[in-house]
Amino acid sequence: NDKSMHSYQRVSGLFSPILAKVDALAAQTQQDANRIEKLGAQPSRVQVVGSLKYDHAASAEASQALKKQLRSEPKLLWVAASTHEGEDAMVLSVQQVLLQQHNALLVLAPRHPERFDTVYALCMQNVATQRWSTLKPNERIDESTQVVLLDSIGQLREFIASAEWCFVGGSLVPVGGHNVLEACQAGVPVLFGSHMHKTKQIAADVLQHQAGFQVDDVDEFEQRVLQLAIEPELRKQVGENGRKLIAQNQGALSATLDLVADLLSKRCE
């Protein structure tokens, strides 16, 4: 980002000699490529390949198994992913508003494991909550449960693929945002705040393709969630837009592997 680029330029004397000797550099965007070149990389050795984040996918079988375990029907199942301190209370506030009109289940997944206990305590003050880690294999969520605290590692992608929509954290507080493409890959509408400087281009792509929504505060968050809750056709269309966005931008992994293979073949000549 611009802030990091400014910092690197201040010590460009250290980077330039190193970058000048690099045989190949893979950049996500043309802007990234331009920045690398300004720091000393040789333009002929810089290649724009796109973002590797477009080349992942969730398991459809796993997400269907989760839906069954969560008993999401007829509940509206949604996910708040990678939340940070300050966002959990906003997410719970939105869930409470949603519950006034709909039968809904929120899966809340804090970004950092050391916050699991704190967030669980916060949830229990407001809504009926179960911790995912306490469930036995194939055990169903209680019908009275309103929030599931996802306090395990490695399953978030599957939960997102099971959801009707997904909020991605680190974006309503000044963290810089996290990966919103996991929702798009699953055909799930994605919501995020205005603090997306770490994934600025991806956020712009999502908005341009109408694959998600930016919400600047808790009021906008509530309004958008209530809209998604009553408009299944909107959820379907936005989700399809996300899949199209992914399809149009896939190929970074293949391009990167081709770049590595080309380098290796030249080394072996």
Side-chain angles (χ1 to χ4, degrees), residues 243-257:
R243 286 197 175 101
K244 290 177 182 178
L245 169 64
I246 296 298
Q248 292 171 9
N249 287 276
Q250 284 180 328
L253 179 59
S254 176
T256 302
L257 292 175

Side-chain angles (χ1 to χ4, degrees), residues 15-35:
F15 285 102
S16 294
I18 298 172
L19 290 173
K21 295 180 180 180
V22 176
D23 292 318
L25 285 158
Q28 287 192 29
T29 67
Q30 186 59 53
Q31 185 180 37
D32 292 330
N34 294 339
R35 286 168 173 165

Side-chain angles (χ1 to χ4, degrees), residues 197-257:
H197 54 269
K198 290 183 179 179
T199 54
K200 185 176 181 180
Q201 185 57 55
I202 289 175
D205 290 344
V206 169
L207 294 176
Q208 180 181 352
H209 286 78
Q210 298 181 344
F213 306 95
Q214 181 174 303
V215 291
D216 292 335
D217 53 39
V218 70
D219 290 333
E220 287 189 18
F221 194 178
E222 288 177 2
Q223 291 170 13
R224 189 62 73 180
V225 163
L226 291 173
Q227 179 188 22
L228 289 169
I230 63 173
E231 296 189 33
E233 287 302 316
L234 175 64
R235 299 198 301 266
K236 181 179 179 181
Q237 184 59 61
V238 175
E240 285 300 314
N241 291 344
R243 286 197 175 101
K244 290 177 182 178
L245 169 64
I246 296 298
Q248 292 171 9
N249 287 276
Q250 284 180 328
L253 179 59
S254 176
T256 302
L257 292 175

Side-chain angles (χ1 to χ4, degrees), residues 88-127:
D88 307 292
M90 288 187 273
V91 169
L92 291 172
S93 173
V94 171
Q95 173 66 349
Q96 288 177 298
V97 171
L98 182 63
L99 286 169
Q100 294 174 9
Q101 303 178 32
H102 301 277
N103 188 11
L105 178 65
L106 163 67
V107 175
L108 176 56
R111 178 71 174 182
H112 299 114
E114 61 268 23
R115 296 185 59 243
F116 288 160
D117 290 342
T118 301
V119 176
Y120 177 66
L122 177 65
C123 291
M124 288 297 290
Q125 294 174 11
N126 297 275
V127 288

